[in-house]
Amino acid sequence: GQQVQQSPASLVLQEGENAELQCNFSTSLNSMQWFYQRPEGSLVSLFYNPSGTKQSGRLTSTTVIKERRSSLHISSSQITDSGTYLCAMERGSNYQLIWGSGTKLIIKP
Amino acid sequence: GPKVLQIPSHQIIDMGQMVTLNCDPVSNHLYFYWYKQILGQQMEFLVNFYNGKVMEKSKLFKDQFSVERPDGSYFTLKIQPTALEDSAVYFCASSLGQRTNERLFFGHGTKLSVL
């Protein structure tokens, strides 16, 4: 089965609402990363978060290794936050990232 | 911040032709990677490369694929010959090291359309 599962698959919010995205993994891992994929496909690295909580502006990532989960919180969402958010876990020593299938976020005005 | 540049952003070629995708990694990075994402599907690891050699490759990295970084210039992915199922977006990434506190930096991707 899938080693990295993201939820929800899609999320529609009004501008200003908070978004909570989840990533669960079924095996042990070395680290977890979050990426934002713009609607046209380009990829932006958001967080490298092996454990604990990291914050960057309105974005907060929390990884709890022993519970095999990571979350991405977006506060006061903006229309420009729309896109696909991908989590990926690193397992092993050669940086093979195993990707989730993504959460498609749509922020409406 | 550090940037990985991929050239071109879109490439259209006929099946059976050769194609080379170019990646200009972050200048002091030592490890390089290619990932493939077919439209609507998950992104998947292809290969990683260090010190002039392939470190590890996935089953998606077919015999028709090759990578190199001649003289520290572009890190390239060559597909020869191309097949229809090679149509995808190919993402290049680089990192300074492979310790767990290193992060990957990704390019914006090259969309390859094989006709």
Side-chain angles (χ1 to χ4, degrees), chain A residues 56-77:
Chain A
S56 175
R58 296 182 293 108
L59 304 181
T60 303
S61 168
T62 299
T63 297
V64 184
I65 292 285
K66 62 181 179 181
E67 295 180 13
R68 296 186 175 177
R69 62 175 176 86
S70 184
S71 64
L72 178 68
H73 181 85
I74 305 173
S75 62
S76 304
S77 61

Side-chain angles (χ1 to χ4, degrees), chain A residues 25 28-34 48-51 63 65 70 88-92 95-98, chain B residues 99-103:
Chain A
F25 32 95
S28 60
L29 76 162
N30 292 341
S31 70
M32 173 64 71
Q33 298 196 42
W34 282 94
Y48 182 100
N49 189 8
S51 66
T63 297
I65 292 285
S70 184
M89 73 172 202
E90 180 205 343
R91 198 184 64 176
Y95 237 137
Q96 286 199 35
L97 291 183
I98 302 172
Chain B
R99 298 186 305 271
T100 54
N101 60 346
E102 295 288 350
R103 62 186 283 180

Side-chain angles (χ1 to χ4, degrees), chain A residues 3 6 20 27 43 49 56 68 102:
Chain A
Q3 297 182 65
Q6 282 190 250
E20 187 81 16
T27 63
L43 207 63
N49 189 8
S56 175
R68 296 186 175 177

Side-chain angles (χ1 to χ4, degrees), chain B residues 39-110:
Chain B
L39 184 65
Q41 296 185 21
Q42 291 170 241
M43 194 175 308
E44 294 189 88
F45 168 82
L46 281 177
V47 65
N48 60 12
F49 187 86
Y50 168 73
N51 198 26
K53 288 181 255 189
V54 170
M55 300 279 287
E56 193 153 352
K57 58 186 179 182
S58 73
K59 61 186 179 197
L60 295 179
F61 194 79
K62 305 179 296 185
D63 291 342
Q64 297 90 330
F65 288 29
S66 62
V67 290
E68 63 176 356
R69 192 181 186 217
D71 301 323
S73 59
Y74 286 152
F75 174 52
T76 62
L77 173 66
K78 184 186 292 186
I79 309 174
Q80 181 177 27
T82 51
L84 293 176
E85 60 264 27
D86 296 331
S87 294
V89 179
Y90 290 84
F91 289 94
C92 172
S94 69
S95 66
L96 185 58
Q98 280 200 314
R99 298 186 305 271
T100 54
N101 60 346
E102 295 288 350
R103 62 186 283 180
L104 292 183
F105 290 82
F106 277 82
H108 284 197
T110 292

Side-chain angles (χ1 to χ4, degrees), chain B residues 26-40:
Chain B
V26 178
S27 61
N28 61 336
H29 283 187
L30 301 174
Y31 293 82
F32 313 107
Y33 313 82
W34 284 103
Y35 289 81
K36 176 183 179 182
Q37 187 177 33
I38 294 173
L39 184 65

